[in-house]
Amino acid sequence: MSHRKPLIRRTFLQERYEILIKRQRDGKATFNELTELDDIVNRDPTIREIVLIENYFMPGNDDNTDQTNPVKEIIKPALQTSFFDRLKDFFGRLFILPVAQAKALIV
């Protein structure tokens, strides 16, 4: 009996994603290939999930140069705020939109 590797079932998009990621990491990817890679990630939910897990939940990620944990930044505990703090936040959000629109009209 021969000892073969078990077959891994992949779709065309998964296979193409692997090829384009290798070219991107080597610095050989063209603009069209990067555009295709972006389209694949946005179109396929399984690949998008893989990318999100790699970027945010894997330790030792090269993209994060700082030592903060992005998971802690994403998931923050709910803080108990007083009634007046919530009221102040409400009015701040209420009046920020008209001010931003007025600034856009002036510029």
Side-chain angles (χ1 to χ4, degrees), residues 4 26 31 34 60-61 71 80 91-92 100:
R4 293 184 188 177
D26 293 340
F31 179 75
L34 293 174
N61 187 2
V71 176
Q80 291 184 349
F91 283 114

Side-chain angles (χ1 to χ4, degrees), residues 6-90:
L7 292 177
I8 299 173
R9 300 186 83 176
R10 294 184 178 193
T11 63
F12 171 76
L13 290 178
Q14 290 169 337
E15 197 65 36
R16 187 70 180 146
Y17 169 78
E18 291 292 327
I19 293 168
L20 292 173
I21 282 292
K22 286 179 185 176
R23 288 188 56 86
Q24 180 190 19
R25 288 185 181 151
D26 293 340
K28 298 177 183 177
T30 64
F31 179 75
N32 288 338
E33 289 172 338
L34 293 174
T35 305
E36 182 183 358
L37 178 65
D38 186 47
D39 186 45
I40 289 171
V41 170
N42 289 332
R43 190 176 356 149
D44 193 351
T46 57
I47 294 176
R48 186 180 317 119
E49 183 180 356
I50 291 169
V51 169
L52 289 173
I53 288 171
E54 286 177 355
N55 288 339
Y56 292 109
F57 301 111
M58 296 294 282
N61 187 2
D62 292 337
D63 293 340
N64 281 339
T65 56
D66 58 347
Q67 297 299 324
T68 60
N69 189 355
V71 176
K72 290 181 182 177
E73 293 175 10
I74 294 171
I75 305 170
K76 294 182 179 178
L79 299 174
Q80 291 184 349
T81 57
S82 68
F83 173 74
F84 293 111
D85 288 335
R86 290 185 292 186
L87 191 62
K88 184 177 86 172
D89 290 341
F90 172 74

